Amino acid sequence: MNHNLFESFAKRMTERRQHDFIVTPEGRNYSYGEALEVTEQLAGALVELGVEPGDRVAVQVDKSPEAILLYLACLRMGGVYLPLNTGYTFAEIGYFLGNAEPHLFVCQPAALEAARKVAQETGCPHVETLADDGTGSLMTRAATAERYTAIEPRGADDLAAILYTSGTTGRSKGAMLTHHNLASNCRTLAEVWRFTEQDRLIHALPIFHTHGLFVACNVILMAGASMLFLSRFDVDTVIEAFSEGTTLMGVPTFYTRLLQDDRLSPERTANMRLFTSGSAPLTAETHEAFHRRTGHAILERYGMTETNMNTSNPYDGARIAGTVGLPLPGVEIRITEPGTHTPVADGEIGMLEVRGPNVFKGYWRMPEKTREELLKDGFFVTGDLGLKDAKGYIHIVGRDKDLVISGGFNVYPKEVEQVIDEMDGVVESAVIGVSHPDFGEGVTAVVVPAAGAELDEAGVLAALKDRLAKYKQPKRVFFVDSLPRNTMGKVQKNQLRETYRDIYKNA
Ligand code: AMP
């Protein structure tokens, strides 16, 4: 049996030959039949360039339908797809190319000169270009290359992709994802989220990350559905798209931004059947506000680069605000005492560990890191702290590295943030630990006030006095216009820790 993920996709693509796969507002549309043909051409170009099964193909390009076809072409001929965040500088790219040793680097045309230089320095033999309008040297080559119409046989355990983690602590690690990892997860998600051929996904996420690439595109391909492919998230375009789309996969910032628009209403979203959220915590307030405004309960799910998706709120059952739902079918989650891996009782906070067909094979060329995080019994130590409630729903309280230890007590930032966020005049907050001479770490709050709100440090501290145990109360409160976030909407707490690192120096 051929376990190549593309085998399953090709079957659906052939059945759906006449139907839309990708449409764009500019009319750069591909039916499934057209997409199949371009994957043959692009796979032909990869083979012509000497890419062999198992070789890495590194890609740093703007979002376009053709970039998705390149991903599919790479799967088809057995290459290992390696997408890179478009925000990476060439100094960073040098690390990725040096670490992954791809046979080919595909870059944006404007970056060709710098890309050639870094490719030469790192021994990457080929550089080609792909522009966001679908032109570039790779497409030119594909037009004349001998078509590759086969589907390279792959084992379940062979690599389909390497995705580098965002690496907020130390070097990025390349998560090795197999054909079986990706296939099993998108099959499950298409089923539990009830995707059908009638669905049209509004795709407004970046495609170098697990969410926009694997969750979104693989689910659509598995279902034979279609996507309205937007170059980025833009409130006006997305609100317009609600009349044509049936589903939106978002990060929490999509929803907070949509909520700021007066047009958001039950009528506008009447054609939509599902809104999902992930990649960062969706606050219960946002979940509830969206429900009030549209009648839709956002379905929150939880996953990560290394594991694909792990949990989801149910499609039919209660979608509980502030939780990431139940383990997906076939996925096991245990919550353990950090360090010992001994399960804790339900309701107690511990480390989330995950096992299942979704869990990656290890970190590329980092056997020690792999051994530390991927345990002998198959459980992966996620680095996320959370608990399982009486109904079996998982609640995430934050990353273990964000845990604040003040005077020997554990302070979970989310608990403090929730209390601050409930205060009048607060839009949102982030709580971090900052080095403190007496306490080890001082609980520190960074708050975004609402426009016109009259908040000051003493007022916030006074309001928290009766709401939180003394050791959880912030020692200092700072105000900012907005919190630093990455493209997936995650608050960059490492940046905040850096900004405020000296505040208790003379305390
Ligand atoms: P990444 O590997 O970039 O996808 O980041 C994965 C991390 O994002 C997880 O380990 C969590 O810390 C966080 N994350 C993803 N989904 C959620 C969610 N629904 N709620 C809270 N955190 C989430």
Side-chain angles (χ1 to χ4, degrees), residues 164-166 209-211 252 277-282 300-306 309 311 323-324 382-384 396 398-399 414 486 488 490:
Y164 278 86
T165 60
S166 49
H209 185 267
T210 186
H211 195 171
S277 179
S279 294
L282 181 79
E300 185 170 9
R301 96 297 178 282
Y302 155 68
M304 62 198 305
T305 303
E306 289 93 330
M309 298 307 105
T311 71
T323 83
V324 295
T382 62
D384 289 314
I396 295 186
R399 300 283 299 164
K414 190 174 177 190
N486 71 6
M488 300 310 293
K490 289 189 220 289

Side-chain angles (χ1 to χ4, degrees), residues 386-399:
L387 61 88
K388 184 157 81 170
D389 68 19
K391 294 194 178 109
Y393 282 61
I394 306 289
H395 301 233
I396 295 186
V397 300
R399 300 283 299 164

Side-chain angles (χ1 to χ4, degrees), residues 43-353:
L46 297 181
V47 171
E48 191 178 276
L49 285 161
V51 178
E52 292 190 2
D55 281 350
R56 276 76 58 211
V57 175
V59 179
Q60 187 192 34
V61 297
D62 280 330
K63 185 173 176 180
S64 71
E66 292 75 13
I68 296 299
L69 302 180
L70 173 58
Y71 155 62
L72 295 174
C74 192
L75 290 176
R76 168 169 219 144
M77 54 71 58
V80 177
Y81 191 69
L82 196 165
L84 293 164
N85 189 322
T86 44
Y88 286 141
T89 63
F90 273 96
E92 289 163 316
I93 295 292
Y95 164 73
F96 295 116
L97 299 194
N99 184 249
E101 298 186 49
H103 185 79
L104 166 67
F105 177 33
V106 183
C107 68
Q108 344 222 36
L112 182 59
E113 209 176 308
R116 281 212 173 111
K117 189 161 167 285
V118 71
Q120 198 183 22
E121 284 162 9
T122 53
C124 170
H126 297 283
V127 179
E128 297 283 339
T129 62
L130 177 61
D132 60 355
D133 65 1
T135 61
S137 66
L138 187 68
M139 296 307 279
T140 309
R141 188 182 279 279
T144 55
E146 190 185 331
R147 287 189 180 209
Y148 184 97
T149 55
I151 299 175
E152 181 66 22
R154 296 277 83 191
D157 216 28
D158 283 330
L159 296 194
I162 295 178
L163 248 61
Y164 278 86
T165 60
S166 49
T168 45
T169 49
R171 276 287 191 201
S172 280
K173 297 168 280 191
M176 299 190 285
L177 296 153
T178 67
H179 284 268
H180 186 53
N181 291 152
L182 300 183
S184 62
N185 207 236
C186 68
R187 235 177 238 127
T188 301
L189 294 176
E191 206 178 300
V192 299
W193 293 343
R194 310 275 171 87
F195 272 83
T196 72
E197 292 170 353
Q198 272 67 53
D199 272 307
R200 176 156 294 186
L201 173 75
I202 302 172
H203 191 304
L205 293 161
I207 53 168
F208 48 73
H209 185 267
T210 186
H211 195 171
L213 185 60
F214 300 143
V215 182
C217 299
N218 288 357
V219 164
I220 291 306
L221 281 152
M222 209 43 109
S226 64
M227 27 188 191
L228 174 61
F229 218 58
L230 306 176
S231 56
R232 61 190 183 82
F233 177 82
D234 166 73
V235 172
D236 289 337
T237 319
V238 168
I239 287 189
E240 285 299 316
F242 285 156
S243 57
E244 188 190 334
T246 61
T247 48
L248 174 72
M249 293 186 188
V251 292
T253 37
F254 284 15
Y255 296 109
T256 49
R257 285 167 61 190
L258 284 167
L259 279 165
Q260 283 161 18
D261 195 289
D262 291 341
R263 290 169 294 177
L264 188 72
S265 66
E267 295 74 35
R268 281 272 180 178
T269 53
N271 200 48
M272 297 290 290
R273 71 166 181 91
L274 180 65
F275 291 87
T276 68
S277 179
S279 294
L282 181 79
T283 64
E285 295 89 84
T286 305
H287 185 282
E288 282 150 14
F290 200 84
H291 193 219
R292 274 196 305 277
R293 284 279 293 284
T294 65
H296 292 281
I298 299 171
L299 181 152
E300 185 170 9
R301 96 297 178 282
Y302 155 68
M304 62 198 305
T305 303
E306 289 93 330
T307 62
N308 299 282
M309 298 307 105
N310 298 317
T311 71
S312 171
N313 272 276
Y315 191 84
D316 283 330
R319 299 179 193 171
I320 300 180
T323 83
V324 295
L326 305 157
L328 286 165
V331 177
E332 287 171 81
I333 301 227
R334 71 178 182 201
I335 302 186
T336 63
E337 197 182 273
T340 70
H341 309 293
T342 317
V344 299
D346 283 359
E348 270 178 39
I349 293 174
M351 172 66 71
L352 266 72
E353 298 185 356

